PDB file of all heavy atoms in Angstrom:
ATOM      1  N   CYS A  89       1.542   6.427   0.502  1.00 97.00           N
ATOM      2  CA  CYS A  89       0.614   5.483   1.110  1.00 97.00           C
ATOM      3  C   CYS A  89      -0.441   5.016   0.093  1.00 97.00           C
ATOM      4  O   CYS A  89      -0.826   3.846   0.081  1.00 97.00           O
ATOM      5  CB  CYS A  89      -0.064   6.143   2.315  1.00 97.00           C
ATOM      6  SG  CYS A  89      -0.664   4.988   3.556  1.00 97.00           S
ATOM      7  N   ALA A  90      -0.881   5.940  -0.769  1.00 95.00           N
ATOM      8  CA  ALA A  90      -1.834   5.576  -1.821  1.00 95.00           C
ATOM      9  C   ALA A  90      -1.219   4.559  -2.775  1.00 95.00           C
ATOM     10  O   ALA A  90      -1.890   3.612  -3.213  1.00 95.00           O
ATOM     11  CB  ALA A  90      -2.272   6.822  -2.588  1.00 95.00           C
ATOM     12  N   GLY A  91       0.062   4.737  -3.094  1.00 94.00           N
ATOM     13  CA  GLY A  91       0.749   3.774  -3.955  1.00 94.00           C
ATOM     14  C   GLY A  91       1.012   2.468  -3.247  1.00 94.00           C
ATOM     15  O   GLY A  91       0.799   1.383  -3.805  1.00 94.00           O
ATOM     16  N   ALA A  92       1.457   2.550  -1.996  1.00 96.00           N
ATOM     17  CA  ALA A  92       1.768   1.342  -1.227  1.00 96.00           C
ATOM     18  C   ALA A  92       0.529   0.496  -0.975  1.00 96.00           C
ATOM     19  O   ALA A  92       0.632  -0.716  -0.777  1.00 96.00           O
ATOM     20  CB  ALA A  92       2.416   1.728   0.107  1.00 96.00           C
ATOM     21  N   ALA A  93      -0.646   1.128  -0.995  1.00 95.00           N
ATOM     22  CA  ALA A  93      -1.884   0.389  -0.781  1.00 95.00           C
ATOM     23  C   ALA A  93      -2.246  -0.503  -1.966  1.00 95.00           C
ATOM     24  O   ALA A  93      -3.184  -1.306  -1.881  1.00 95.00           O
ATOM     25  CB  ALA A  93      -3.032   1.358  -0.493  1.00 95.00           C
ATOM     26  N   LEU A  94      -1.517  -0.381  -3.076  1.00 94.00           N
ATOM     27  CA  LEU A  94      -1.691  -1.298  -4.206  1.00 94.00           C
ATOM     28  C   LEU A  94      -0.679  -2.437  -4.182  1.00 94.00           C
ATOM     29  O   LEU A  94      -0.885  -3.473  -4.810  1.00 94.00           O
ATOM     30  CB  LEU A  94      -1.538  -0.547  -5.535  1.00 94.00           C
ATOM     31  CG  LEU A  94      -2.587   0.483  -5.913  1.00 94.00           C
ATOM     32  CD1 LEU A  94      -2.246   1.087  -7.272  1.00 94.00           C
ATOM     33  CD2 LEU A  94      -3.978  -0.130  -5.947  1.00 94.00           C
ATOM     34  N   ALA A  95       0.430  -2.230  -3.464  1.00 93.00           N
ATOM     35  CA  ALA A  95       1.571  -3.142  -3.558  1.00 93.00           C
ATOM     36  C   ALA A  95       1.321  -4.571  -3.103  1.00 93.00           C
ATOM     37  O   ALA A  95       1.925  -5.497  -3.659  1.00 93.00           O
ATOM     38  CB  ALA A  95       2.767  -2.557  -2.796  1.00 93.00           C
ATOM     39  N   PRO A  96       0.471  -4.837  -2.088  1.00 94.00           N
ATOM     40  CA  PRO A  96       0.248  -6.248  -1.722  1.00 94.00           C
ATOM     41  C   PRO A  96      -0.282  -7.111  -2.868  1.00 94.00           C
ATOM     42  O   PRO A  96      -0.118  -8.334  -2.845  1.00 94.00           O
ATOM     43  CB  PRO A  96      -0.775  -6.141  -0.579  1.00 94.00           C
ATOM     44  CG  PRO A  96      -0.440  -4.846   0.074  1.00 94.00           C
ATOM     45  CD  PRO A  96      -0.122  -3.933  -1.082  1.00 94.00           C
ATOM     46  N   ASP A  97      -0.882  -6.501  -3.875  1.00 92.00           N
ATOM     47  CA  ASP A  97      -1.365  -7.275  -5.021  1.00 92.00           C
ATOM     48  C   ASP A  97      -0.256  -7.620  -6.008  1.00 92.00           C
ATOM     49  O   ASP A  97      -0.527  -8.005  -7.150  1.00 92.00           O
ATOM     50  CB  ASP A  97      -2.498  -6.529  -5.729  1.00 92.00           C
ATOM     51  CG  ASP A  97      -3.844  -6.753  -5.052  1.00 92.00           C
ATOM     52  OD1 ASP A  97      -3.950  -7.714  -4.267  1.00 92.00           O
ATOM     53  OD2 ASP A  97      -4.780  -5.965  -5.296  1.00 92.00           O
ATOM     54  N   LEU A  98       0.996  -7.504  -5.568  1.00 91.00           N
ATOM     55  CA  LEU A  98       2.118  -8.017  -6.362  1.00 91.00           C
ATOM     56  C   LEU A  98       2.000  -9.515  -6.598  1.00 91.00           C
ATOM     57  O   LEU A  98       2.680 -10.067  -7.458  1.00 91.00           O
ATOM     58  CB  LEU A  98       3.438  -7.737  -5.632  1.00 91.00           C
ATOM     59  CG  LEU A  98       4.214  -6.476  -6.014  1.00 91.00           C
ATOM     60  CD1 LEU A  98       5.402  -6.311  -5.087  1.00 91.00           C
ATOM     61  CD2 LEU A  98       4.667  -6.540  -7.466  1.00 91.00           C
ATOM     62  N   ASP A  99       1.157 -10.178  -5.827  1.00 89.00           N
ATOM     63  CA  ASP A  99       0.967 -11.620  -5.996  1.00 89.00           C
ATOM     64  C   ASP A  99      -0.170 -11.942  -6.966  1.00 89.00           C
ATOM     65  O   ASP A  99      -0.565 -13.095  -7.096  1.00 89.00           O
ATOM     66  CB  ASP A  99       0.686 -12.279  -4.631  1.00 89.00           C
ATOM     67  CG  ASP A  99      -0.588 -11.746  -3.977  1.00 89.00           C
ATOM     68  OD1 ASP A  99      -1.293 -10.919  -4.592  1.00 89.00           O
ATOM     69  OD2 ASP A  99      -0.875 -12.148  -2.834  1.00 89.00           O
TER      70      ASP A  99
END
Side-chain angles (χ1 to χ4, degrees):
C89 205
L94 293 181
D97 277 343
L98 265 174
D99 61 3

